[in-house]
Amino acid sequence: DPQFLREMNNAYRAGARVAPGFRDSKNPYDSVVSGCYSIYYWMMDRLHNGGRAGLGLPAMINGTGFMVAASVLERMGGWTETISEDLELSVQCALEEVQVFWVPKAVTYDEQPLTFRESVKQRRRWTSGTLQVAGSYLPAVGRALVARPSGAAWDVGATLLIPAYQMAALVNLAVSA
């Protein structure tokens, strides 16, 4: 969106050092698959990040269109190392107690997959990335929860367990069929 940089700069000037914007879809009407993805991201933005912002909780970085201050990257030791940089950065922020602010007026437009095959390929990559981040950070999240429990640490810990939930659902489906 033409206003993306202006809105992120406004957030930075107001004190935000890490902030995702509103992730909109470039092609919500191109196929059923792209339409479903679009609905998912609209809900994620409005209900998850918008709800969390309303409660003063950190947002979740999800996909493209986010801002990170150089000072935060320096504090965390540089850029991320996994294929899911958005999730990894969210986890790092939770562990370092860096507030992630949601900036709904900073809009980006992502092109969504058009076919089920493209969707599966993308989801497989995301799951691989989540497993990478979980392998790297779940022990640290557990230690943080024991040392100083926080909503942000609980949230990213639950997010890192999503592949385990998915596997349990598949096993349950196979067993009950």
Side-chain angles (χ1 to χ4, degrees), residues 100-131:
V100 179
F101 293 89
W102 184 53
V103 185
K105 291 183 179 179
V107 179
T108 56
Y109 297 94
D110 273 354
E111 188 167 3
Q112 306 307 331
L114 297 175
T115 67
F116 184 71
R117 172 181 241 114
E118 292 170 355
S119 174
V120 168
K121 184 177 179 181
Q122 185 179 57
R123 297 238 169 235
R124 189 171 39 233
R125 186 186 75 78
W126 290 347
T127 299
S128 296
T130 301
L131 290 171

Side-chain angles (χ1 to χ4, degrees), residues 48-67:
H48 185 77
N49 280 340
R52 295 179 67 73
L55 294 171
L57 298 171
M60 180 70 88
I61 301 167
N62 184 322
T64 57
F66 58 90
M67 173 267 296

Side-chain angles (χ1 to χ4, degrees), residues 123 126-127 130-131 161-172:
R123 297 238 169 235
W126 290 347
T127 299
T130 301
L131 290 171
L161 292 174
I162 286 174
Y165 303 146
Q166 291 170 331
M167 184 58 68
L170 286 173
V171 168
N172 185 42

Side-chain angles (χ1 to χ4, degrees), residues 134-156:
S136 297
Y137 290 94
L138 207 49
V141 170
R143 287 190 300 274
L145 285 169
V146 170
R148 56 185 191 322
S150 73
W154 279 109
D155 186 49
V156 297

Side-chain angles (χ1 to χ4, degrees), residues 3-143:
Q3 301 303 313
F4 179 83
L5 292 176
R6 176 179 287 128
E7 293 300 332
M8 283 300 185
N9 188 57
N10 290 342
Y12 183 86
R13 291 177 65 203
R17 295 299 176 256
V18 180
F22 185 90
R23 184 177 183 176
D24 206 344
S25 293
K26 182 178 176 182
N27 60 333
Y29 306 108
D30 288 359
S31 74
V32 170
V33 173
S34 68
C36 289
Y37 267 78
S38 300
I39 291 167
Y40 170 79
Y41 288 119
W42 294 331
M43 290 175 59
M44 180 73 169
D45 276 329
R46 288 200 168 88
L47 302 179
H48 185 77
N49 280 340
R52 295 179 67 73
L55 294 171
L57 298 171
M60 180 70 88
I61 301 167
N62 184 322
T64 57
F66 58 90
M67 173 267 296
V68 184
S71 61
V72 172
L73 291 176
E74 289 167 5
R75 176 177 168 184
M76 292 186 207
W79 190 244
T80 60
E81 296 180 6
T82 67
I83 62 172
S84 289
E85 72 285 342
D86 51 355
L87 177 59
E88 184 177 358
L89 187 58
S90 292
V91 173
Q92 289 174 336
C93 287
L95 290 173
E96 293 291 324
E97 298 181 0
V98 173
Q99 181 78 7
V100 179
F101 293 89
W102 184 53
V103 185
K105 291 183 179 179
V107 179
T108 56
Y109 297 94
D110 273 354
E111 188 167 3
Q112 306 307 331
L114 297 175
T115 67
F116 184 71
R117 172 181 241 114
E118 292 170 355
S119 174
V120 168
K121 184 177 179 181
Q122 185 179 57
R123 297 238 169 235
R124 189 171 39 233
R125 186 186 75 78
W126 290 347
T127 299
S128 296
T130 301
L131 290 171
Q132 271 187 313
V133 176
S136 297
Y137 290 94
L138 207 49
V141 170
R143 287 190 300 274

